Amino acid sequence: FLINIFRKIFKNFFLKKNNELINIKIKTNLKEKSSIIKEEIENKGYIFLENFLSQDYYDFLNKYFPKKYELYKSKSPLKNYNLGFIYGTDGTYSNLESPSALNIFYKFILSNEFERQVNDIFNLDNKKLVCKNIITSIAEEKSFLIPHMDSISSVRKDLNINFVYFIDGNDDNIEYPGGTSIYQDNDGERVLLKPKTLKNSVLIYNNTK
Protein backbone atom coordinates (compact mmCIF):
# COMPACT_ATOMS: atom_id res chain seq x y z
CA PHE A 1 0.00 0.00 0.00
CA LEU A 2 2.82 2.41 0.83
CA ILE A 3 4.55 1.73 -2.49
CA ASN A 4 1.33 2.47 -4.38
CA ILE A 5 0.73 5.71 -2.46
CA PHE A 6 4.26 6.87 -3.26
CA ARG A 7 3.90 5.99 -6.94
CA LYS A 8 0.59 7.87 -7.20
CA ILE A 9 2.16 11.01 -5.75
CA PHE A 10 5.24 10.62 -7.95
CA LYS A 11 3.17 10.23 -11.13
CA ASN A 12 0.95 13.23 -10.37
CA PHE A 13 3.81 15.63 -9.69
CA PHE A 14 6.87 14.47 -11.56
CA LEU A 15 5.99 12.22 -14.46
CA LYS A 16 6.00 13.78 -17.92
CA LYS A 17 3.96 12.37 -20.77
CA ASN A 18 5.63 11.20 -23.94
CA ASN A 19 4.28 13.54 -26.58
CA GLU A 20 6.23 12.20 -29.52
CA LEU A 21 3.87 11.62 -32.40
CA ILE A 22 4.59 8.93 -34.96
CA ASN A 23 3.30 7.98 -38.38
CA ILE A 24 4.14 4.30 -38.10
CA LYS A 25 1.28 2.01 -39.09
CA ILE A 26 0.81 -0.85 -36.64
CA LYS A 27 0.86 -4.22 -38.38
CA THR A 28 0.43 -7.70 -36.90
CA ASN A 29 1.06 -11.15 -38.34
CA LEU A 30 -2.51 -12.35 -37.61
CA LYS A 31 -3.57 -12.35 -41.25
CA GLU A 32 -0.38 -14.11 -42.34
CA LYS A 33 -0.79 -16.78 -39.64
CA SER A 34 -4.59 -16.99 -39.66
CA SER A 35 -4.83 -20.58 -40.92
CA ILE A 36 -2.48 -22.07 -38.34
CA ILE A 37 -3.99 -19.94 -35.54
CA LYS A 38 -7.48 -21.24 -36.33
CA GLU A 39 -6.25 -24.83 -36.51
CA GLU A 40 -4.26 -24.69 -33.26
CA ILE A 41 -6.94 -22.86 -31.26
CA GLU A 42 -9.68 -25.25 -32.40
CA ASN A 43 -7.60 -28.40 -31.83
CA LYS A 44 -5.41 -27.55 -28.83
CA GLY A 45 -6.79 -24.28 -27.53
CA TYR A 46 -3.54 -22.30 -27.68
CA ILE A 47 -0.75 -21.07 -29.95
CA PHE A 48 2.46 -19.06 -29.60
CA LEU A 49 3.61 -16.60 -32.28
CA GLU A 50 6.88 -14.74 -32.69
CA ASN A 51 7.32 -11.34 -34.39
CA PHE A 52 3.75 -10.32 -33.57
CA LEU A 53 4.15 -6.62 -34.44
CA SER A 54 6.05 -5.10 -37.34
CA GLN A 55 9.62 -4.28 -36.28
CA ASP A 56 9.39 -0.50 -36.67
CA TYR A 57 6.41 -0.11 -34.37
CA TYR A 58 7.70 -2.73 -31.93
CA ASP A 59 10.94 -0.76 -31.52
CA PHE A 60 8.94 2.41 -30.81
CA LEU A 61 6.67 0.72 -28.26
CA ASN A 62 9.57 -0.97 -26.49
CA LYS A 63 11.56 2.27 -26.31
CA TYR A 64 8.73 4.25 -24.74
CA PHE A 65 7.11 1.51 -22.67
CA PRO A 66 6.05 2.72 -19.18
CA LYS A 67 8.46 2.33 -16.27
CA LYS A 68 7.47 0.17 -13.32
CA TYR A 69 6.80 3.23 -11.11
CA GLU A 70 4.02 4.21 -13.54
CA LEU A 71 2.17 1.03 -12.53
CA TYR A 72 0.95 -0.27 -9.17
CA LYS A 73 1.91 -3.27 -7.08
CA SER A 74 -0.79 -5.95 -7.00
CA LYS A 75 -2.60 -6.18 -3.64
CA SER A 76 -3.51 -9.84 -4.13
CA PRO A 77 -1.59 -12.44 -2.05
CA LEU A 78 -1.77 -14.78 -5.07
CA LYS A 79 0.32 -12.53 -7.30
CA ASN A 80 3.14 -10.07 -6.91
CA TYR A 81 3.97 -7.87 -9.87
CA ASN A 82 3.34 -4.38 -11.24
CA LEU A 83 0.14 -3.70 -13.17
CA GLY A 84 -1.80 -0.73 -14.46
CA PHE A 85 -3.30 1.08 -17.44
CA ILE A 86 -6.34 -1.19 -17.04
CA TYR A 87 -8.93 -0.76 -19.77
CA GLY A 88 -12.38 -2.21 -19.14
CA THR A 89 -15.72 -1.74 -20.85
CA ASP A 90 -16.83 0.12 -17.72
CA GLY A 91 -14.46 2.93 -18.68
CA THR A 92 -11.96 2.34 -15.88
CA TYR A 93 -9.14 3.59 -18.10
CA SER A 94 -10.17 6.62 -20.14
CA ASN A 95 -6.79 8.19 -20.82
CA LEU A 96 -6.51 7.02 -24.43
CA GLU A 97 -6.31 10.52 -25.85
CA SER A 98 -3.07 11.32 -23.99
CA PRO A 99 -0.23 10.88 -26.50
CA SER A 100 2.00 7.95 -25.57
CA ALA A 101 3.29 4.80 -27.23
CA LEU A 102 1.10 2.62 -25.00
CA ASN A 103 -2.07 4.59 -25.68
CA ILE A 104 -1.49 4.34 -29.42
CA PHE A 105 -1.21 0.57 -29.01
CA TYR A 106 -4.39 0.40 -26.88
CA LYS A 107 -6.33 2.36 -29.48
CA PHE A 108 -5.17 -0.08 -32.14
CA ILE A 109 -6.28 -3.11 -30.07
CA LEU A 110 -9.69 -1.44 -29.63
CA SER A 111 -9.98 -0.48 -33.29
CA ASN A 112 -12.30 -1.98 -35.88
CA GLU A 113 -9.24 -3.01 -37.87
CA PHE A 114 -7.84 -5.27 -35.14
CA GLU A 115 -11.31 -6.61 -34.29
CA ARG A 116 -11.75 -7.55 -37.94
CA GLN A 117 -8.36 -9.29 -38.04
CA VAL A 118 -9.28 -11.48 -35.07
CA ASN A 119 -12.78 -12.32 -36.27
CA ASP A 120 -11.59 -13.12 -39.80
CA ILE A 121 -9.41 -15.89 -38.33
CA PHE A 122 -12.46 -17.77 -37.06
CA ASN A 123 -14.87 -16.65 -39.82
CA LEU A 124 -17.12 -14.97 -37.27
CA ASP A 125 -19.82 -12.72 -38.67
CA ASN A 126 -22.78 -12.90 -36.30
CA LYS A 127 -21.26 -13.60 -32.86
CA LYS A 128 -18.22 -11.40 -33.21
CA LEU A 129 -15.43 -11.27 -30.67
CA VAL A 130 -14.87 -7.81 -29.15
CA CYS A 131 -12.14 -6.56 -26.81
CA LYS A 132 -13.39 -6.44 -23.21
CA ASN A 133 -10.24 -5.80 -21.20
CA ILE A 134 -6.60 -4.74 -21.56
CA ILE A 135 -3.99 -4.63 -18.80
CA THR A 136 -0.29 -3.78 -18.74
CA SER A 137 2.09 -5.52 -16.37
CA ILE A 138 5.79 -5.63 -15.51
CA ALA A 139 7.45 -8.54 -13.71
CA GLU A 140 10.69 -7.99 -11.81
CA GLU A 141 12.86 -9.95 -9.37
CA LYS A 142 10.73 -11.87 -6.82
CA SER A 143 7.54 -11.33 -8.85
CA PHE A 144 5.18 -14.30 -9.00
CA LEU A 145 1.78 -15.51 -10.16
CA ILE A 146 0.53 -18.85 -8.87
CA PRO A 147 -0.53 -21.55 -11.37
CA HIS A 148 -4.25 -21.08 -11.94
CA MET A 149 -7.21 -21.75 -14.21
CA ASP A 150 -9.03 -18.74 -15.61
CA SER A 151 -12.33 -18.47 -13.74
CA ILE A 152 -14.32 -18.01 -16.93
CA SER A 153 -13.52 -21.56 -18.04
CA SER A 154 -15.75 -23.06 -15.35
CA VAL A 155 -18.91 -21.22 -16.40
CA ARG A 156 -18.69 -20.71 -20.16
CA LYS A 157 -18.02 -22.96 -23.14
CA ASP A 158 -18.04 -20.46 -26.01
CA LEU A 159 -14.97 -19.11 -27.80
CA ASN A 160 -13.21 -16.54 -25.61
CA ILE A 161 -9.71 -15.50 -26.64
CA ASN A 162 -6.92 -14.12 -24.46
CA PHE A 163 -3.81 -12.48 -25.90
CA VAL A 164 -0.69 -12.33 -23.71
CA TYR A 165 1.71 -10.05 -25.57
CA PHE A 166 5.35 -10.11 -24.43
CA ILE A 167 7.18 -6.88 -25.27
CA ASP A 168 10.58 -7.50 -23.74
CA GLY A 169 12.17 -9.85 -21.22
CA ASN A 170 15.10 -12.08 -20.33
CA ASP A 171 15.13 -15.04 -22.73
CA ASP A 172 17.84 -16.87 -20.77
CA ASN A 173 15.34 -18.20 -18.22
CA ILE A 174 11.89 -17.56 -19.63
CA GLU A 175 9.91 -19.18 -16.81
CA TYR A 176 10.93 -16.53 -14.29
CA PRO A 177 10.98 -13.10 -16.00
CA GLY A 178 7.26 -13.10 -16.79
CA GLY A 179 6.89 -15.91 -19.30
CA THR A 180 3.34 -17.34 -19.24
CA SER A 181 3.10 -21.06 -19.96
CA ILE A 182 0.25 -23.52 -20.49
CA TYR A 183 0.25 -26.60 -18.23
CA GLN A 184 -1.72 -29.83 -18.13
CA ASP A 185 -1.57 -30.01 -14.32
CA ASN A 186 -1.85 -27.65 -11.35
CA ASP A 187 1.71 -28.34 -10.19
CA GLY A 188 3.27 -26.97 -13.36
CA GLU A 189 5.17 -30.15 -14.14
CA ARG A 190 3.56 -31.19 -17.43
CA VAL A 191 4.24 -28.27 -19.75
CA LEU A 192 2.09 -28.03 -22.88
CA LEU A 193 3.54 -24.76 -24.13
CA LYS A 194 6.32 -22.44 -22.98
CA PRO A 195 7.17 -19.20 -24.81
CA LYS A 196 10.35 -19.36 -26.89
CA THR A 197 11.06 -15.64 -26.52
CA LEU A 198 9.67 -12.72 -24.52
CA LYS A 199 10.51 -10.20 -27.22
CA ASN A 200 7.66 -9.15 -29.54
CA SER A 201 5.80 -12.44 -29.19
CA VAL A 202 2.27 -13.43 -28.22
CA LEU A 203 0.52 -16.34 -26.52
CA ILE A 204 -3.06 -16.74 -27.75
CA TYR A 205 -5.41 -19.15 -26.00
CA ASN A 206 -9.09 -19.97 -25.66
CA ASN A 207 -9.68 -19.57 -21.92
CA THR A 208 -12.98 -21.44 -21.94
CA LYS A 209 -11.14 -24.56 -23.13
Side-chain angles (χ1 to χ4, degrees):
F1 283 97
L2 290 176
I3 291 174
N4 288 341
I5 290 173
F6 172 79
R7 289 184 180 181
K8 185 174 183 179
I9 295 172
F10 184 84
K11 286 199 302 182
N12 288 339
F13 286 96
F14 300 104
L15 198 60
K16 293 183 179 180
K17 296 291 183 182
N18 163 36
N19 291 316
E20 179 179 344
L21 299 177
I22 62 166
N23 294 315
I24 304 174
K25 181 176 175 58
I26 303 178
K27 298 178 182 178
T28 74
N29 61 2
L30 290 181
K31 186 175 181 180
E32 173 190 348
K33 303 288 186 178
S34 60
S35 296
I36 189 172
I37 295 173
K38 185 174 187 294
E39 180 181 350
E40 294 288 280
I41 292 294
E42 290 180 348
N43 294 331
K44 296 194 298 186
Y46 53 84
I47 188 172
F48 175 79
L49 300 175
E50 299 183 41
N51 302 312
F52 180 61
L53 296 181
S54 53
Q55 190 66 39
D56 52 358
Y57 183 76
Y58 164 70
D59 291 338
F60 173 79
L61 179 61
N62 193 24
K63 180 180 179 180
Y64 292 107
F65 191 76
K67 306 299 182 184
K68 71 176 183 180
Y69 52 74
E70 297 181 64
L71 285 72
Y72 296 103
K73 298 287 286 186
S74 171
K75 299 174 184 177
S76 170
L78 305 181
K79 50 189 168 185
N80 175 32
Y81 54 87
N82 307 281
L83 68 164
F85 300 97
I86 300 172
Y87 169 82
T89 50
D90 58 353
T92 49
Y93 175 60
S94 56
N95 200 29
L96 290 170
E97 297 308 317
S98 299
S100 75
L102 190 65
N103 284 347
I104 293 171
F105 186 53
Y106 271 42
K107 291 179 77 171
F108 171 73
I109 297 299
L110 295 166
S111 70
N112 291 331
E113 179 183 353
F114 185 75
E115 182 180 307
R116 183 170 56 253
Q117 288 181 23
V118 175
N119 283 284
D120 284 349
I121 295 172
F122 304 100
N123 302 316
L124 297 177
D125 293 321
N126 298 325
K127 296 182 179 180
K128 287 187 175 181
L129 296 171
V130 296
C131 182
K132 293 291 187 179
N133 180 261
I134 313 174
I135 187 169
T136 294
S137 62
I138 296 177
E140 55 187 333
E141 187 176 9
K142 297 184 180 179
S143 292
F144 64 82
L145 172 62
I146 67 166
H148 65 283
M149 179 182 292
D150 288 352
S151 58
I152 193 175
S153 61
S154 63
V155 295
R156 287 174 53 175
K157 300 301 178 185
D158 57 331
L159 182 65
N160 194 283
I161 302 296
N162 271 5
F163 285 72
V164 182
Y165 175 54
F166 306 107
I167 295 180
D168 197 10
N170 181 4
D171 284 349
D172 293 335
N173 201 348
I174 284 178
E175 182 178 357
Y176 294 102
T180 300
S181 299
I182 302 292
Y183 300 95
Q184 189 172 348
D185 63 312
N186 290 334
D187 297 322
E189 295 180 354
R190 287 173 287 178
V191 182
L192 298 176
L193 183 146
K194 180 182 290 187
K196 297 178 181 178
T197 175
L198 299 181
K199 303 177 188 299
N200 193 21
S201 58
V202 64
L203 168 64
I204 307 173
Y205 66 94
N206 177 11
N207 64 353
T208 60
K209 189 170 184 177

